[in-house]
């Protein structure tokens, strides 16, 4: 039986950008993409996933390019329900594409890949003492970065550049600022970044650039052999 992959996202994520990285291992017709909120309006997303008292807020991008604040608890419950359905359908690998870390997700038979469990220790092993500069799209994500990158030998430096609303020049300027501050490796830590952003930085700044999407796609492809 040929291997199968399900890609699970919360909002809008450029899944098409990683499909070429997986094409050598699994035909595109055997890849299923499910988005919890990608097709919802802001009103629908808030009605189903709105933040209630005691809930932790998180941000997600909708199809109209609007960022909306939703409940992490409700989102996690919905993700687990989707995982159980995909698991029951027999998918070999379920790839969760999210910049948020969840603690209660699990699959019984499928291999569940959660980038936020995998990427930080993987990056820490790759950079091995180098100074990392992390680029994120919005300031609201900065508060969670220190815990996320706690495994790095040197605390990372940070800069902002939005892949959806920003310009290429703003991205290059963010990378140059980090290099001027001492970074010798850049990390694009948002699923909205893809290979064109990495290639641009490497070409303009001549510095190694790590990209979350590429790292997790390569890992998924290894599991689909």
């Amino acid at each position: 039986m040929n291997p199968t992959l399900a890609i699970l996202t919360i909002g809008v994520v450029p899944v098409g950008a990683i499909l070429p990285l997986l094409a050598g291992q699994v035909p595109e017709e055997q890849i299923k993409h499910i988005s919890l909120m990608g097709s919802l309006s802001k009103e629908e997303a808030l009605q189903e996933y709105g933040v209630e008292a005691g809930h932790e807020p998180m941000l997600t991008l909708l199809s109209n390019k609007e960022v909306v604040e939703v409940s992490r608890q409700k989102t996690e419950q919905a993700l687990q329900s989707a995982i159980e359905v995909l698991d029951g359908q027999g998918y070999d690998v379920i790839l969760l594409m999210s910049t948020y870390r969840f603690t209660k997700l699990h699959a019984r038979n499928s291999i569940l890949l959660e980038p936020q469990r995998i990427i930080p220790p993987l990056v820490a092993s790759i950079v091995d003492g180098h100074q990392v500069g992390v680029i994120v799209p919005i300031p609201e994500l900065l508060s969670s970065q220190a815990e996320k990158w706690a495994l790095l030998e040197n605390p990372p430096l940070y800069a902002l550049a939005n892949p959806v609303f920003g310009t290429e020049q703003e991205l290059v300027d963010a990378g140059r600022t980090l290099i001027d501050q001492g970074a010798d490796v850049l990390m694009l830590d948002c699923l909205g970044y893809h290979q064109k952003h990495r290639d641009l930085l490497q070409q303009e700044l001549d510095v190694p650039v790590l990209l979350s999407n590429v790292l997790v796609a390569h890992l998924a492809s290894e599991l689909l052999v």
Side-chain angles (χ1 to χ4, degrees):
M1 181 179 294
N2 293 325
T4 54
L5 168 69
I7 300 176
L8 180 58
T9 64
I10 296 171
V12 174
V13 173
V15 170
I18 73 164
L19 291 180
L21 303 174
L22 301 165
Q25 306 299 337
V26 55
E28 189 170 334
E29 60 268 19
Q30 291 173 230
I31 300 175
K32 182 175 185 177
H33 174 214
I34 294 177
S35 175
L36 293 183
M37 308 179 206
S39 62
L40 300 183
S41 67
K42 179 179 180 179
E43 292 72 22
E44 291 169 334
L46 291 177
Q47 181 177 4
E48 190 167 351
Y49 299 100
V51 180
E52 298 181 5
H55 285 199
E56 183 180 353
M58 58 177 286
L59 301 173
T60 193
L61 181 68
L62 302 180
S63 60
N64 63 358
K65 295 187 177 181
E66 186 171 8
V67 176
V68 63
E69 188 175 76
V70 295
S71 163
R72 181 191 289 264
Q73 286 85 343
K74 291 181 181 179
T75 300
E76 187 167 34
Q77 291 175 359
L79 287 173
Q80 181 57 41
S81 296
I83 289 168
E84 290 173 3
V85 171
L86 295 169
D87 197 4
Q89 292 174 345
Y91 282 89
D92 297 290
V93 176
I94 301 172
L95 170 57
L96 172 63
M97 295 185 66
S98 170
T99 55
Y100 288 92
R101 181 168 181 173
F102 300 95
T103 60
K104 300 178 181 179
L105 302 180
H106 62 276
R108 290 178 297 172
N109 301 307
S110 305
I111 298 174
L112 175 62
L113 291 182
E114 298 181 66
Q116 298 314 302
R117 292 180 181 271
I118 299 167
I119 297 301
L122 179 58
V123 170
S125 68
I126 292 173
V127 300
D128 191 25
H130 288 271
Q131 179 61 60
V132 178
V134 178
I135 301 178
V136 295
I138 52 177
E140 289 83 355
L141 295 179
L142 290 172
S143 60
S144 63
Q145 293 292 308
E147 179 182 0
K148 178 176 182 178
W149 300 110
L151 291 175
L152 293 178
E153 183 176 332
N154 301 315
L157 305 166
Y158 300 102
L160 298 172
N162 195 299
V164 178
F165 303 107
T167 65
E168 290 186 347
Q169 187 58 52
E170 288 171 346
L171 178 62
V172 172
D173 289 344
R176 184 173 286 113
T177 297
L178 291 171
I179 293 172
D180 291 343
Q181 293 174 352
D184 55 3
V185 178
L186 298 181
M187 176 73 199
L188 291 172
D189 191 31
C190 170
L191 297 175
Y193 300 118
H194 42 88
Q195 291 198 82
K196 72 174 184 179
H197 299 112
R198 183 190 64 176
D199 294 344
L200 174 67
L201 289 176
Q202 290 184 161
Q203 178 181 348
E204 294 291 328
L205 304 177
D206 191 27
V207 63
V209 181
L210 300 175
L211 177 60
S212 296
N213 284 355
V214 171
L215 292 174
V216 75
H218 281 312
L219 179 57
S221 66
E222 292 295 325
L223 294 171
L224 289 166
V225 174

